[in-house]
Amino acid sequence: NAGVMQNPRHLVRRRGQEARLRCSPMKGHSHVYWYRQLPEEGLKFMVYLQKENIIDESGMPKERFSAEFPKEGPSILRIQQVVRGDSAAYFCASSPADLGYGYTFGSGTRLTVV
Amino acid sequence: SQQGEEDPQALSIQEGENATMNCSYKTSINNLQWYRQNSGRGLVHLILIRSNEREKHSGRLRVTLDTSKKSSSLLITASRAADTASYFCATVPLYSAGSYQLTFGKGTKLSVIP
């Protein structure tokens, strides 16, 4: 019973490139959340998705960032034309429902923009 | 200050001592959760306390919640070197919209010296 799987664990991109972060939720979980953690900070909510639906993207920057959770396959967080300020740890969590509890977090993807 | 602020920012104790971390928040909550994050790793859920609960125990962990003061504390008794980590509180709001969003504080860095 694998937990939330995120890959890659570490990602290095040059300024202007695209970054794709993947998240496979726990088995039986249909709700996925993305959070970003800047150095020495807590996690900040970015987006909440269910299969084929974006429920709440209020925490996502308006430009360059997008997220999807297709019917088949993992959830993808996509950052286009990365800048140094995008360097952070990106965590995915999943839950069986949006009850406000029961979250399981992945180990995160550490993005470094050089 | 932001929702879910931990205090102190850093705490260093000897193995065997107790560690107490505090968390303050601003808005009404459905529940409050504590997480642990080992260096460079994901978050591990420790304990959840609902707004109608005042105290909860789990092994060496004791959590209290004072909704009148909008504060919570996490006590780790008889600390071990393996408890060295960052500890975050996260709140879930009371209102129905956005009730899935966890709002994290910046965390307390706990160092337990063997």
Side-chain angles (χ1 to χ4, degrees), chain A residues 6-10 89-92 105-110, chain B residues 41-42:
Chain A
Q6 287 189 250
N7 65 81
R9 289 292 303 275
H10 300 274
Y90 292 83
F91 290 95
C92 170
F105 280 83
S107 295
T109 292
R110 275 143 192 88
Chain B
R41 308 287 295 181

Side-chain angles (χ1 to χ4, degrees), chain A residues 9 33 35 37 40-45 48 56 58 91 100-101 103 105-107 110, chain B residues 2 31 33 35 37 40-43 48 50 88 92 99-102 104-106 109:
Chain A
R9 289 292 303 275
Y33 315 82
Y35 286 80
Q37 184 181 31
E40 307 300 321
E41 296 276 327
L43 279 70
K44 296 281 194 294
F45 170 81
Y48 162 36
D56 180 355
S58 59
F91 290 95
Y101 59 87
Y103 302 100
F105 280 83
S107 295
R110 275 143 192 88
Chain B
Q2 58 181 319
N31 66 69
Q33 303 171 34
Y35 288 84
Q37 184 180 37
R41 308 287 295 181
L43 274 76
L48 178 152
R50 299 187 188 282
F88 295 89
V92 173
S99 61
Y100 42 78
Q101 281 192 30
L102 290 170
F104 286 85
K106 292 187 178 181
K109 263 189 182 172

Side-chain angles (χ1 to χ4, degrees), chain A residues 3 5 9 19 48 52 55 62 68 87 91 101-102 108 111:
Chain A
M5 305 300 293
R9 289 292 303 275
Y48 162 36
E52 300 184 279
I55 307 301
K62 293 286 184 279
E68 62 176 7
S87 294
F91 290 95
Y101 59 87
L111 172 66

Side-chain angles (χ1 to χ4, degrees), chain A residues 56 58 98-100, chain B residues 3 27-31 91-103:
Chain A
D56 180 355
S58 59
D98 59 350
L99 299 175
Chain B
Q3 181 87 339
T27 61
S28 296
I29 60 170
N30 176 290
N31 66 69
T91 55
V92 173
L94 182 61
Y95 52 86
S96 57
S99 61
Y100 42 78
Q101 281 192 30
L102 290 170
T103 300

Side-chain angles (χ1 to χ4, degrees), chain A residues 22-77:
Chain A
R22 294 175 189 78
C23 168
S24 295
M26 265 191 80
K27 191 175 181 180
H29 287 190
S30 57
H31 301 249
V32 167
Y33 315 82
W34 286 93
Y35 286 80
R36 177 165 66 174
Q37 184 181 31
L38 296 170
E40 307 300 321
E41 296 276 327
L43 279 70
K44 296 281 194 294
F45 170 81
M46 298 181 75
V47 62
Y48 162 36
L49 310 105
Q50 295 177 25
K51 284 283 187 184
E52 300 184 279
N53 280 307
I54 297 174
I55 307 301
D56 180 355
E57 55 182 350
S58 59
M60 289 264 278
K62 293 286 184 279
E63 297 177 354
R64 302 187 297 107
F65 284 72
S66 62
E68 62 176 7
F69 189 14
K71 189 176 179 183
E72 301 290 338
S75 175
I76 306 284
L77 179 67

Side-chain angles (χ1 to χ4, degrees), chain B residues 3-4 11 26 31 36 45-46 51 56 59 61-62 64 67 72 81 83 86 94 99 103 108 110:
Chain B
Q3 181 87 339
L11 180 61
K26 288 182 170 252
N31 66 69
R36 185 185 73 219
H45 178 262
L46 294 176
S51 60
K56 228 171 165 179
L61 305 180
R62 174 178 164 248
T64 61
T67 52
S72 173
D83 295 329
S86 290
L94 182 61
S99 61
T103 300
T108 292
L110 174 65

